[in-house]
Amino acid sequence: MTITEAPPAARKKAAPEPPAPRAVGSPLPRKEDLRLVMGEGRFLDDLGRDAYEAAFIRSPHARARVLAIDIGPALGVEGLIAVYTYQDLPGRLAEPLPMLIPHPGLTHGRTGYPLAKEYVNHVGEAVVMVVARDRYAAEDACEKITVEYEPLPPVVGIENAFRADELVHPDVPGNVAGHVVQETGDARAAVAAAPYSLELHLDIERSACMPMEGRGVFARWDVADGSLRIYSSTQTSSGVRAAVAAKLELPLLKVECVTPDVGGGFGVKIVHPWPEEVLVPWVARLLDHEVKWTEDRREHFISSAHERGQLQTVRVGFDGRGRILGLDVDILHDNGAYTQYGLIVPLITSTQLLGPYKPGAYRVEFRSLYTNTVMVTPYRGAGRPQGVYAMERTMDSIADHLGLDRADVREANLIRPEEMPYDHGLLFQDGRPLVYDSGDFPASLDKIKKLVGWDEFAAYREQARAEGRRVGIGLAAYVEGTGVGPYEGGHVQIETSGKVYVATGLTSQGQGHETVFAQVVADELGVAVEDVTVTTGDTRRMGYAVGTFASRAAVMSGNAIALAARGVRDKALRIAGEALGVAPRKLEIVQGVVRSRDDPAVSIPLGTVAVLSNPLRYAFDEASKAATQFGGTPDHSRPPVAEGDEPGLEAREFFSPPRATYANGVHAVIVETDPETAEITVLRYCVVHDCGHLLNPMIVEGQVHGGVAQAVGGALYERMHYDESGQLLNASFMDFLMPYASETPVVEIDHLETASPMNPLGIKGAGEAGVIPGTAAFASAIEDAEGFPITKMPIQPCELFRLRQRFEAGEIPPLRRRAGAPNNVDEELCQP
Amino acid sequence: MKPPAFRYHSPRSLPEALDTLDAVGHDGKVLAGGQSLIPILNMRLAAPGHLVDINGLTELAYVRTDADGVRVGALARHADVEADADAHRAVSLLRQGLRLVAHPVIRNRGTTVGSLVHADPSGEMTAVLSLLGGSVELARLGGTRRVGAADFFTGPLESCVEPGEMAVSAYFPRLRGRTGTEFIEAARRHGDYAMCGVAAAVTLDDDLRIVSARAAYLSVSPVPLVLDLTETLAGATPDTAHWRAAGELAADRTEPDSDIHATAEYRRHLVRVLTARALRTAAVRGADPAVGGDGQGSDDQGSDDRECGARD
Amino acid sequence: MTEQMHEIELRVNGVLRTATVPSRRLLSDCLRHDLGLTGTHVGCEHGVCGACTVQIDGRPMRSCLMFAVSARGHEITTVEGLADPDGSMHAVQQAFRECHGLQCGFCTPGFLTVIAAYLRDHPDPTEAEAREAIGGNLCRCTGYQNIVKAVLRAARILNEGTDAPVAEEAPR
Ligand SMILES: Cc1cc2nc3c(=O)[nH]c(=O)nc-3n(C[C@H](O)[C@H](O)[C@H](O)COP(=O)(O)OP(=O)(O)OC[C@H]3O[C@@H](n4cnc5c(N)ncnc54)[C@H](O)[C@@H]3O)c2cc1C
Ligand code: FES
Ligand code: FES
């Protein structure tokens, strides 16, 4: 089914009012926990105990030509099974990996080969694949094989890429993979004509998803059946299946992809196919033996994907109340060595930058640049943290420039609820118009001010200063397009046992889909949550699916499953109605039993209805025996399965909204910076967010907590330290510093629930929100504590220390509010 | 990340271990807690032919305290030393430092002697041994020798333990006089190797005037650095002492390097700040009447060491 | 050279298990792949993440930083061994579920083994102590807040068998 848009008038109350009592909306403990806490989860590396294992020789150079590979010395290694190089790859495997998301602006998209062909373009690129009895032996062989390289000068860093003295790909001029300009109104003219204007130069560095479980693939070839079963720790089993089928030139129907329990994804596992995802199945077929590859931590650092690195230039024109009249943004985006995931990240940055604000005229231009580093693909937030950073740094600068309260300047620029739906006149990541469907942004801002004590903070800061302490407060708002299409499907089946089995194609990496979707189905069907079993990410159960990313799972699959459940419900009522002689509309389903609303004693269990739904009725079980009492006298003039009907109590539906639905929120953080050591401590972290109706508030809050922890990491601890030769200096958990509990604040949360008019459940995505405004909020708070502008994030103590030195030396101007500047509204136009 | 192959030996007694070490010579390595060695092997940064696992030498799993100090056997885990009440009373700096070594789970396995042999210039125990002027007892087939801290550490990740030799114990002497100690550090995250760490000892006379102030440093030099800072503080009381001057002097005398976590300049700044903080706390502890005339001041009643440092 | 192999006996979760392993077999791999106890997870193999933590003679240790041969003769408890023999959950497992202390569940076994040992020695931790107790384990999903809550909840279950919920953690 496709939802068409409700007319604007109906939009505001379009959310369906659900019947009580409901599983949806209650903080039910998760079904998946029962196995996970007992150590009975099944993650990728838990499978395939007898499989051969693969290891890879990966380039030690950021840019080089592969001259020769000598596998000879490895041949004596005990346990070695096979060694493969590019030369061994047949047919379509020898072609570059597919470009997932083409875009007209992506004029020079490039992808790598499964194994390096002639050139390597980043440290970690796979060059040789070794298969052995186990991983130990495979690594032994890797150590023995020698690869001769001719190192070439690498391109590292955005400035170097832009200067283009060296080219990553010789046939890509200027290292520019893609170049996109979007504009509404004449932004440059608006900036020039505005009473006030400012220019900001901002820098944000790389981090990475870094799930606790790395990637992994396990493949089994069935030689008799000519079919392939792939298990992958992926965010899209349907995508992996289609990619592998194409690469190995197998019919889609001979390939199955199953996603086992996945130890976190956060975006990196949506990329497909990874080189290993096509190579492992290929070798499994070649050797007719199970083969497995489990990524180790070092591999994950140097051969998966990173995100976030951008340089941004913002020119903004505004009036005396801080209202933006024109916004002109220029972004240089580091996409690493390849663009397998297209321009998605900078496209999102450039559109979601606008947040809850009306920018007046807006122009955004970005260039996506190649560097000899690991490729860049979405990491939770997917370009939004950078966009919010640009916008919120701008808001703070305007406030400071005018001597206005930072929250007031934001307030002055907010889109009002009565302006919904709000059309920005731009195209979003999915190529569809950027139209906000709903949200009450002023209410969100109001709530965060109350939650964090915004108005009282100035007094606290002063009091702290008197005690020799430095504290600061910051806030940042975001709008997040969630639940992007094109579609997701749901299949719901009631078995004769009365148990309900649900499938959806997208995958789970800890979001609790087994529970949340069961809650949805339980309500729709009137059954107990315990009686509903949900399967995700298994192409045997649902062949058509997109994947889990962009905070889309609950919106897309949740609604698809709800629609499928409604279909099953209708059918169950129809069949029950016939059996009971009651009109379907006079029936209800309560605790798995269909019964008359008028006389609950007139009833039939759903399991029995399932028996009746199938004319072939062997009395295998009790339900079938029970069903005989409803047999009636068959009408021999009609076919056993009526025209247009199908046997079985099941339904499959797809949900495909016309556009994304937009969640929003505001974060506020209070930090303390040590006046001597420049160490930064989080004192409080507050979140207000609105993701429409909450399916399971406990799970939504968990998503927020986790997102905030990643935000803290991204703002204060995590970064990818590449040296100028393209070596990643901190490719381990010792040196890539993810926050422990000791670094992670308690998150205080307040919710708003503005129902989405875009889908039957009235929900919006919640998966990424926690991370999005963090970097911006921290920059704001640290700036507030220190009294000088922060333009480069993340920030670590030695950098804050250095900034203080420069500030004291007069190389950095103070914030105007610290310099005691009066309200600036009547001053002349200023260009710092 | 799987270790390369090696031959494994698990001697049941010290003589047997020394025999084995002698036999394997250059190609052998002692395996103690493995908390430093095994990560190195897993990353294939080393490939010793033989590992001599000393975890069976339970005779070396001791922490012995007497009037003069604490002797720690080669199989005493960090956690054992940290928990030992007698050792804490005699040499509080041990617990003060150990609480900053990694996280408790690592301390459950890693050995204090192993961390000395490993000689990581960021290892807390190297600074403790150096500040106290302790020593390590080395044994080989047919002999033992005792090496003082000043000679024990020869470079980053290098100690004077020779092939065929094994460290059997370390000795941490008790500080004399009315002495207080403190160990603080600044690390990126709680439990990480520090960007800079300071172990300090301040001795007072009966009028509570400072007669000696010394500090040892982590992560700012290739081998543990001990500085005598008495000249800036002598004669002052904990209330009047000019701690910043001591910090300045220390900063002048250190030549740290830069890495991704901290620039050299910032490290030197941390030396300045942390020296002042550590000395002050040490002096206050020394002045505590409960300490009496010959202890280093226990931190039992004081605030948590980890919190009084510069950490968040 | 053919690798030196060892016949080893380990007591795992109260059961005597045997395996034939090369010297270099990490305990984590031995548990997972030789003994089929895949509840112990591997997230870094350099001692930082804690996903592989098991109890050795009751003390939590990293199984990725130990060779299987070194574990000979020791009592090993993995996540599979925390529950009662009758299959009912350990208080920590129950608390994790009640407090939503896990999302993907990959880090969880390491937390559970650490916390179970911790609560044996510290039956009544404060919030700050609970947070410190889990300070050596990485979780990329939960932000730790509900794990801290689960520690306190588990302590309460162990002490009183009560079902009273644990209050929200105060901001530090
Ligand atoms: C995640 C993590 C964080 C850590 N953080 C810190 C920290 O903050 N501060 C810190 O100080 N340490 C830290 N460590 C290291 C830890 O303290 C180690 O336990 C210690 O450094 C080495 O002790 P070990 O017993 O494990 O030695 P092993 O790893 O077994 O051995 C280390 C080296 O010393 C040699 N050796 C060990 N014992 C002897 C002996 N008796 N005779 C001769 N040679 C010997 C070995 O051959 C090897 O070369 C950390 C470790 C990890 C995994
Ligand atoms: S796998 Fe052992 S600590 Fe990460
Ligand atoms: S629950 Fe996923 S890493 Fe902790």
Side-chain angles (χ1 to χ4, degrees):
Chain A
M1 169 182 149
T2 301
I3 300 287
T4 47
E5 264 183 78
R11 198 166 272 143
K12 263 170 219 98
K13 32 184 153 33
E17 262 315 306
R22 293 164 47 86
V24 164
S26 57
L28 293 188
R30 304 194 318 166
K31 292 163 93 65
E32 37 278 85
D33 294 353
L34 293 171
R35 63 174 187 277
L36 293 174
V37 298
M38 302 299 274
E40 290 164 6
R42 245 164 54 113
F43 294 85
L44 194 279
D45 189 54
D46 303 345
L47 310 169
R49 218 167 134 180
D50 300 318
Y52 293 153
E53 292 207 67
F56 291 83
I57 297 180
R58 299 181 181 276
S59 171
H61 301 287
R63 183 161 168 244
R65 204 153 85 91
V66 180
L67 298 178
I69 299 171
D70 182 7
I71 66 168
L75 295 180
V77 168
E78 199 185 324
L80 178 69
I81 307 288
V83 180
Y84 305 97
T85 69
Y86 177 82
Q87 304 306 327
D88 300 306
L89 303 181
R92 298 201 53 196
L93 265 185
E95 297 170 6
L97 293 165
M99 180 82 60
L100 287 175
I101 308 167
H103 184 279
L106 181 60
T107 51
H108 292 80
R110 295 290 179 272
T111 59
Y113 294 87
L115 293 170
K117 185 179 179 189
E118 188 182 356
Y119 293 97
V120 285
N121 284 309
H122 64 88
V123 170
E125 189 161 358
V127 181
V128 181
M129 179 184 191
V130 172
V131 179
R133 180 195 57 214
D134 62 21
R135 176 80 185 210
Y136 291 75
E139 290 191 19
D140 292 348
C142 287
E143 261 188 344
K144 293 262 161 44
I145 294 169
T146 55
V147 182
E148 199 187 323
Y149 299 92
E150 176 196 342
L152 300 168
V155 179
V156 182
I158 301 183
E159 282 108 339
N160 289 335
F162 189 57
R163 205 177 307 121
D165 295 339
E166 291 290 336
L167 296 180
V168 174
H169 304 284
D171 57 347
V172 178
N175 289 317
V176 178
H179 180 197
V180 173
V181 181
Q182 288 207 67
E183 182 158 22
T184 56
D186 187 343
R188 288 179 170 170
V191 174
Y196 304 93
S197 68
L198 285 168
E199 178 168 325
L200 283 77
H201 296 273
L202 302 170
D203 184 327
I204 183 167
E205 280 190 44
R206 275 190 181 203
S207 181
C209 303
M210 216 45 73
M212 295 309 299
E213 182 205 30
R215 299 176 292 134
V217 202
F218 164 51
R220 182 188 297 152
W221 173 250
D222 183 335
V223 68
D225 189 48
S227 66
L228 184 66
R229 164 95 51 90
I230 310 161
Y231 294 85
S232 181
S233 183
T234 180
Q235 291 175 229
T236 172
S237 46
S238 50
V240 172
R241 175 201 196 198
V244 173
K247 281 285 176 193
L248 301 190
E249 299 175 59
L250 284 166
L252 193 61
L253 292 172
K254 287 293 185 188
V255 181
E256 299 166 343
C257 182
V258 182
T259 309
D261 284 320
V262 173
F266 313 112
V268 64
K269 295 178 182 176
I270 190 62
V271 179
H272 63 282
W274 287 102
E276 300 85 358
E277 273 173 338
V278 292
L279 293 169
V280 167
W282 169 61
V283 173
R285 182 174 66 172
L286 212 59
L287 299 176
D288 188 17
H289 196 284
E290 292 180 351
V291 179
K292 176 166 78 172
W293 169 72
T294 306
E295 184 180 57
D296 70 25
R297 190 49 57 184
R298 181 169 162 78
E299 290 182 290
H300 190 76
F301 272 99
I302 61 172
S303 52
S304 63
H306 303 157
E307 211 225 282
R308 303 274 198 258
Q310 288 182 353
L311 293 179
Q312 306 163 334
T313 304
V314 180
R315 291 175 206 87
V316 61
F318 48 98
D319 67 13
R321 280 193 52 209
R323 279 182 301 219
I324 297 182
L325 304 172
L327 185 65
D328 179 13
V329 181
D330 203 312
I331 298 166
L332 297 180
H333 170 81
D334 175 0
N335 61 229
Y338 300 110
T339 50
Q340 194 170 349
Y341 216 74
L343 296 177
I344 285 296
V345 172
L347 279 171
I348 295 177
T349 303
S350 62
T351 47
Q352 297 264 272
L353 184 149
L354 295 172
Y357 309 115
K358 289 176 282 196
Y362 177 53
R363 180 182 195 279
V364 61
E365 171 169 8
F366 72 77
R367 286 180 185 75
S368 190
L369 300 168
Y370 287 110
T371 56
N372 288 110
T373 59
V374 173
M375 73 171 165
V376 165
T377 68
Y379 160 33
R380 195 181 205 168
R384 291 177 189 86
Q386 299 95 306
V388 171
Y389 174 65
M391 191 61 162
E392 297 290 322
R393 293 284 65 216
T394 304
M395 288 290 167
D396 284 347
S397 300
I398 293 172
D400 191 56
H401 189 76
L402 297 175
L404 297 176
D405 179 79
R406 288 171 289 164
D408 290 347
V409 167
R410 286 169 170 86
E411 168 80 32
N413 283 286
L414 290 178
I415 295 166
R416 323 297 308 179
E418 55 278 12
E419 293 175 282
M420 293 291 171
Y422 188 87
D423 188 344
H424 274 291
L426 302 169
L427 292 183
F428 190 41
Q429 67 175 112
D430 52 2
R432 289 167 178 255
L434 183 71
V435 180
Y436 294 172
D437 53 309
S438 58
D440 188 341
F441 304 154
S444 292
L445 184 62
D446 220 49
K447 263 189 189 285
I448 197 80
K449 285 173 68 178
K450 293 215 176 70
L451 182 61
V452 74
W454 181 263
D455 292 331
E456 296 79 55
F457 189 77
Y460 175 69
R461 186 173 43 220
E462 281 320 305
Q463 181 199 329
R465 187 164 302 153
E467 295 163 6
R469 296 168 56 212
R470 288 190 197 182
V471 295
I473 193 168
L475 86 172
Y478 68 94
V479 167
E480 183 195 2
T482 70
V484 294
Y487 66 83
E488 213 58 62
H491 180 261
V492 176
Q493 177 165 11
I494 303 177
E495 294 207 344
T496 54
S497 59
K499 304 274 187 219
V500 184
Y501 293 87
V502 179
T504 188
L506 55 65
T507 60
S508 301
Q509 307 92 43
Q511 299 92 336
H513 294 153
E514 287 171 42
T515 306
V516 174
F517 296 154
Q519 288 177 265
V520 169
V521 170
D523 282 355
E524 295 290 345
L525 285 182
V527 298
V529 173
E530 300 74 58
D531 286 335
V532 184
T533 304
V534 177
T535 300
T536 59
D538 185 340
T539 62
R540 296 172 299 181
R541 296 286 309 282
M542 176 62 75
Y544 290 93
V546 183
T548 302
F549 57 95
S551 304
R552 66 191 294 282
V555 177
M556 301 303 297
S557 283
N559 281 292
I561 287 169
L563 294 173
R566 287 174 195 179
V568 172
R569 180 190 176 88
D570 289 347
K571 182 163 184 179
L573 294 185
R574 173 166 59 76
I575 295 170
E578 281 165 17
L580 299 172
V582 179
R585 67 190 156 74
K586 299 223 157 148
L587 294 173
E588 60 182 1
I589 312 178
V590 177
Q591 286 169 1
V593 176
V594 187
R595 65 184 197 194
S596 159
R597 287 180 201 272
D598 301 332
D599 179 5
V602 177
S603 69
I604 177 171
L606 274 176
T608 311
V609 178
V611 177
L612 295 178
S613 72
N614 183 354
L616 183 64
R617 234 171 268 166
Y618 297 122
F620 287 141
D621 54 17
E622 292 310 312
S624 310
K625 288 178 202 151
T628 52
Q629 59 176 300
F630 299 101
T633 354
D635 178 352
H636 293 292
S637 66
R638 279 164 47 189
V641 177
E643 203 175 316
D645 203 359
E646 286 175 3
L649 194 48
E650 60 181 299
R652 190 168 84 150
E653 289 287 350
F654 288 85
F655 176 65
S656 179
R659 291 194 310 272
T661 180
Y662 290 81
N664 75 88
V666 196
H667 291 196
V669 60
I670 298 178
V671 301
E672 173 157 7
T673 58
D674 186 308
E676 292 185 309
T677 65
E679 288 169 293
I680 303 161
T681 311
V682 190
L683 299 182
R684 285 182 68 202
Y685 200 104
C686 298
V687 171
V688 165
H689 82 130
D690 183 349
C691 64
H693 287 313
L694 303 179
L695 295 179
N696 182 325
M698 178 186 83
I699 288 178
V700 171
E701 294 202 350
Q703 289 289 319
V704 173
H705 296 165
V708 169
Q710 286 178 318
V712 171
L716 304 179
Y717 297 99
E718 300 165 13
R719 60 173 20 137
M720 293 292 168
H721 286 275
Y722 276 103
D723 70 9
E724 64 278 13
S725 69
Q727 296 293 333
L728 184 57
L729 299 179
N730 60 334
S732 83
F733 279 172
M734 281 307 261
D735 288 313
F736 178 81
L737 309 177
M738 303 199 297
Y740 283 109
S742 41
E743 283 68 47
T744 309
V746 172
V747 185
E748 303 163 57
I749 303 180
D750 199 354
H751 299 282
L752 250 83
E753 295 193 38
T754 313
S756 168
M758 304 298 293
N759 60 71
L761 295 174
I763 57 177
K764 305 176 178 184
E768 299 175 273
V771 81
I772 291 171
T775 291
F778 273 105
S780 181
I782 295 166
E783 173 171 297
D784 188 48
E786 295 290 320
F788 51 78
I790 301 292
T791 58
K792 195 170 183 304
M793 291 291 280
I795 185 164
Q796 63 190 57
C798 68
E799 292 165 316
L800 181 57
F801 168 70
R802 177 76 195 122
L803 288 177
R804 285 178 180 175
Q805 286 182 320
R806 293 184 53 207
F807 175 63
E808 278 149 27
E811 293 167 32
I812 302 177
L815 293 181
R816 299 173 72 102
R817 61 179 184 268
R818 281 309 140 69
N823 186 312
N824 201 27
V825 173
D826 296 317
E827 264 181 45
E828 275 301 287
L829 195 138
C830 157
Q831 292 278 10
Chain B
M1 287 201 194
K2 304 292 179 194
F6 54 81
R7 282 196 85 77
Y8 175 80
H9 308 267
S10 49
R12 293 282 125 193
S13 68
L14 183 57
E16 190 190 335
L18 298 180
D19 265 343
T20 311
L21 282 169
D22 188 66
V24 299
H26 275 278
D27 204 19
K29 267 211 165 293
V30 169
L31 171 66
Q35 304 300 287
S36 295
L37 182 56
I38 298 181
I40 291 170
L41 295 176
N42 287 0
M43 295 184 201
R44 297 205 179 208
L45 299 173
H50 300 262
L51 285 192
V52 182
D53 184 347
I54 61 167
N55 286 282
L57 307 186
T58 43
E59 66 210 83
L60 299 181
Y62 62 81
V63 181
R64 285 185 201 132
T65 304
D66 62 19
D68 296 324
V70 179
R71 182 166 293 283
V72 174
L75 202 56
R77 314 287 175 185
H78 288 313
D80 300 331
V81 184
E82 181 189 357
D84 194 291
D86 291 339
H88 179 53
R89 262 190 300 277
V91 184
S92 326
L93 194 58
L94 271 173
R95 185 182 291 172
Q96 289 163 359
L98 281 165
R99 292 163 73 168
L100 300 170
V101 173
H103 290 105
V105 175
I106 303 294
R107 302 203 290 272
N108 278 343
R109 183 92 190 149
T111 65
T112 299
V113 171
S115 84
L116 294 171
V117 178
H118 189 58
D120 191 320
S122 303
E124 284 78 2
M125 290 302 101
T126 65
V128 170
L129 191 82
S130 300
L131 185 69
L132 299 177
S135 60
V136 180
E137 178 137 332
L138 302 174
R140 61 159 57 252
L141 193 61
T144 62
R145 58 180 178 133
R146 176 167 304 178
V147 184
D151 300 317
F152 185 74
F153 304 105
T154 54
L157 301 175
E158 270 175 46
S159 53
C160 71
V161 182
E162 287 172 3
E165 227 173 8
M166 169 181 158
V168 287
S169 68
Y171 186 65
F172 298 91
R174 185 181 191 127
L175 290 169
R176 294 296 159 190
R178 177 183 277 283
T179 303
T181 61
E182 167 66 327
F183 202 130
I184 59 172
E185 60 185 37
R188 289 295 308 279
R189 294 175 304 188
H190 200 63
D192 279 343
Y193 283 108
M195 297 182 283
C196 173
V198 184
V202 176
T203 306
L204 310 169
D205 64 16
D206 288 340
D207 298 329
L208 301 186
R209 295 192 183 280
I210 295 169
V211 292
S212 157
R214 295 161 61 250
Y217 294 86
L218 292 191
S219 308
V220 294
S221 52
V223 292
L225 174 72
V226 181
L227 296 178
D228 189 330
L229 304 166
T230 311
E231 60 184 272
T232 56
L233 300 169
T237 66
D239 295 333
T240 62
H242 195 26
W243 306 113
R244 279 199 146 275
E248 291 298 340
L249 179 63
D252 285 348
R253 293 205 194 154
T254 41
E255 280 292 334
D257 284 333
S258 293
D259 69 13
I260 59 173
H261 300 304
T263 58
E265 201 181 3
Y266 177 61
R267 280 210 160 86
R268 175 172 295 134
H269 175 73
L270 288 176
V271 167
R272 183 178 298 127
V273 172
L274 299 186
T275 298
R277 289 183 185 177
L279 288 172
R280 181 173 42 213
T281 307
V284 168
R285 287 199 178 126
D288 185 338
V291 170
D294 61 346
Q296 297 96 64
S298 131
D299 52 311
D300 285 346
Q301 34 331 37
S303 57
D304 182 342
D305 286 359
R306 309 189 75 140
E307 302 305 323
C308 51
R311 285 292 313 135
D312 51 280
Chain C
M1 113 189 157
T2 43
E3 252 188 284
Q4 177 193 23
M5 302 295 280
H6 309 267
E7 303 276 338
I8 57 169
E9 285 192 346
L10 308 172
R11 265 198 102 73
V12 187
N13 301 328
V15 179
L16 195 63
R17 304 288 303 262
T18 57
T20 306
V21 294
S23 309
R24 58 169 159 168
R25 191 78 165 162
L26 296 173
L27 178 59
S28 47
D29 285 333
C30 174
L31 291 169
R32 292 176 45 72
H33 303 304
D34 297 323
L35 305 182
L37 293 167
T38 53
T40 298
H41 295 159
V42 166
C44 70
E45 291 176 302
H46 49 273
V48 184
C49 76
C52 67
T53 309
V54 301
Q55 295 174 7
I56 310 279
D57 302 326
R59 278 181 166 194
M61 295 183 190
R62 305 291 201 229
S63 64
C64 75
L65 297 189
M66 213 171 145
F67 295 113
V69 274
S70 302
R72 261 191 305 213
H74 292 278
E75 188 83 42
I76 301 168
T77 307
T78 68
V79 65
E80 289 94 338
L82 292 180
D84 282 353
D86 71 1
S88 59
M89 284 187 189
H90 186 282
V92 184
Q93 292 169 315
Q94 190 188 326
F96 260 61
R97 179 156 190 261
E98 286 176 17
C99 302
H100 191 31
L102 66 154
Q103 291 181 24
C104 76
F106 196 78
C107 68
T108 311
F111 277 94
L112 294 173
T113 47
V114 166
I115 296 165
Y118 177 82
L119 289 178
R120 226 169 19 225
D121 302 338
H122 309 82
D124 198 11
T126 63
E127 225 164 76
E129 287 163 350
R131 203 168 257 278
E132 178 153 352
I134 59 163
N137 289 60
L138 284 173
C139 171
R140 194 60 162 167
C141 296
T142 63
Y144 308 101
Q145 193 156 331
N146 290 340
I147 298 181
V148 173
K149 214 173 176 184
V151 177
L152 300 175
R153 172 86 187 112
R156 190 173 293 197
I157 297 171
L158 285 169
N159 292 339
E160 307 162 22
T162 159
D163 283 338
V166 171
E168 286 295 321
E169 194 181 0
R172 286 171 298 160

